[in-house]
Structure formats: C-alpha cells, structure tokens
Amino acid sequence: MTSTVPASLTRTAEGAALQAVLLDMDGTLVDTEGFWWDVEKEVFADLGHRLEESWRDVVVGGPMTRSAGYLIDVTGADIALDELTVLLNDRFENRIRHGVPLMPGAERLLAELHAAQIPTALVSASHRRIIDRVLDSVGHHHFALTVAGDEVTRTKPHPEPYLTAAAGFRADPWRCAVIEDTATGVAAAEAAGCRVVAIPSVAPIAPASGRVVVGSLEEVDLAFLRKLVTATN
C-alpha cells in the first residue's frame, strides 16, 4: 500500500456522513478490462491455446492469481502460475505504455473529489507496477492512498483491500462509498461494510440493499455519493 495522506485529509468534517471514496481501477476508472482480455488471449495463443469468450466473465475483476490460475486449468497450458503472471503483466504494461483511456465521467468526478478535498483511494486487484503505470496517465495527485493486489494478504473478493483503504483514512467502512464494475469487486466492498455504486463493465450486476447500479460514471457526482452513504446509514 502506498499513502500520501496529509493530516487534513484523513477525515472529512466531524459528523459528516461521507468520509472517503474508494475506486476500483480497471473497468471502473479506466477502460482497460478489454485490454486485459486481449492480453490474456495473446499470451495463451503464444502458448498454443485459444481462450473461449465465456471464460471472460469468470476472470474479469479477479486477482491475477485467480484469473491466471483458472486459465491454466481450463486450457491445460504447460506454464507455471508465477511465470504466466509475469508474462501477462509485461504484455499489459507494454499495451498501456502510451496511456490509458478514462471511462466517461472519470476525469470530471476525480476533479470534483479533489477540489472538495474528499479523501480518495484507488483499490485494485492489479499489481503495484501496473497501478503506478496507470496513474502516470491518470494523475497520481487524485489519490491520497492506493492499494494494490500484490500488497495485501487476501485480495478481492475478500474485504481486506477495502478495509485497508478505510483504515488508511481512519474512516468507518460504512461511511465509505465504493465504485466498482464487477461482481468480484462489489463482493469485496460489501463484505467490508462499504456502500457501493456498481457500474457493470462486462457482466451484469443486480441492485441490492446498500448498493445502486448505474450506467456510467457520468451519473455519479459528489452529491450522489453523499446521498448514497446518508441513505444507507
């Protein structure tokens, strides 16, 4: 975990409902879920295997070890998990070397949160090297804290990543708004006790208690997030 949390940003005003906003990265903030799938298909093609489109719903949003392990199992590829992980990260990092496209509404929302001094964290199942490369494009200054998948003991769908981020801000998880695009990420955030905005990228996500589902980040602003936390506390 990396953190550059100034003392003034560790909590919002005393008594305020929304204490922090925690965002997923791939498919939520940046339009890269397709990049990952393309990379996985390319790497397995080099290994002599063709990935089926139906497998995409299984691996989307998951930690590298789970996704890569699943693809090894279903293809029977003769490669160790550690070796495959390096190949996938290398290929993905090369793919995004010239920058990443932001999801619609992302730039506006990040600017609004920054201007309002809302503690904001990036919480991703991607490895640190990938997060840092993405933030070179998106802007490190938008996030006072970042949590990578290879920096926690148990990554999504376990709640540890979101509990780690909330603790980093000394915030109550139920007063944190999480924005996610996959069922795996939503499960992690809800298990941590956070309030969730789901923006499905690949597979559908149903509304539920403490969770709202919207079409894109263009429907989300600070007032929306404050209302979500207030309405469910």
Side-chain angles (χ1 to χ4, degrees):
M1 179 179 74
T2 63
S3 175
T4 56
V5 189
S8 61
L9 290 183
T10 56
R11 291 293 288 265
T12 52
E14 191 66 31
L18 178 66
Q19 292 181 341
V21 175
L22 318 176
L23 294 102
D24 173 56
M25 187 175 75
D26 295 297
T28 299
L29 180 65
V30 291
D31 192 6
T32 50
E33 289 289 14
F35 289 4
W36 277 113
W37 182 240
D38 288 344
V39 162
E40 287 160 349
K41 289 193 296 185
E42 291 168 6
V43 169
F44 275 88
D46 291 344
L47 296 171
H49 298 275
R50 181 178 179 275
L51 300 188
E52 297 182 11
E53 285 297 319
S54 62
W55 297 341
R56 185 179 182 185
D57 289 352
V58 179
V59 301
V60 66
M64 177 70 73
T65 51
R66 190 196 74 183
S67 300
Y70 173 82
L71 294 175
I72 290 174
D73 288 343
V74 294
T75 61
D78 184 18
I79 187 170
L81 180 58
D82 288 348
E83 182 183 357
L84 178 58
T85 297
V86 172
L87 288 177
L88 291 171
N89 277 326
D90 286 348
R91 188 75 63 94
F92 184 81
E93 191 169 4
N94 183 62
R95 177 67 64 91
I96 65 171
R97 68 186 184 282
H98 297 306
V100 293
L102 270 68
M103 299 297 286
E107 185 173 5
R108 186 262 315 151
L109 178 61
L110 289 175
E112 183 179 12
L113 295 174
H114 185 74
Q117 294 191 323
I118 300 298
T120 303
L122 188 67
V123 183
S124 177
S126 291
H127 289 188
R128 168 57 54 193
R129 59 181 285 199
I130 300 300
I131 287 180
D132 287 345
R133 179 57 64 94
V134 168
L135 289 181
D136 287 343
S137 179
V138 174
H140 293 261
H141 66 283
H142 289 299
F143 300 96
L145 185 152
T146 60
V147 180
D150 57 340
E151 295 174 339
V152 291
T153 304
R154 295 158 295 186
T155 189
K156 303 174 187 179
H158 195 276
E160 182 180 346
Y162 283 111
L163 291 174
T164 299
F169 287 135
R170 300 202 297 275
D172 300 319
W174 57 92
R175 289 188 174 183
C176 294
V178 169
I179 306 178
E180 272 281 0
D181 73 303
T182 68
T184 297
V186 168
E190 291 181 343
C194 303
R195 304 308 178 224
V196 178
V197 179
I199 308 174
S201 61
V202 175
I205 300 172
S209 177
R211 175 201 313 169
V212 295
V213 181
V214 299
S216 80
L217 282 176
E218 292 182 314
E219 300 177 46
V220 180
D221 59 15
L222 180 54
F224 181 99
L225 297 174
R226 282 176 168 152
K227 183 178 180 180
L228 171 69
V229 171
T230 302
T232 51
N233 277 303

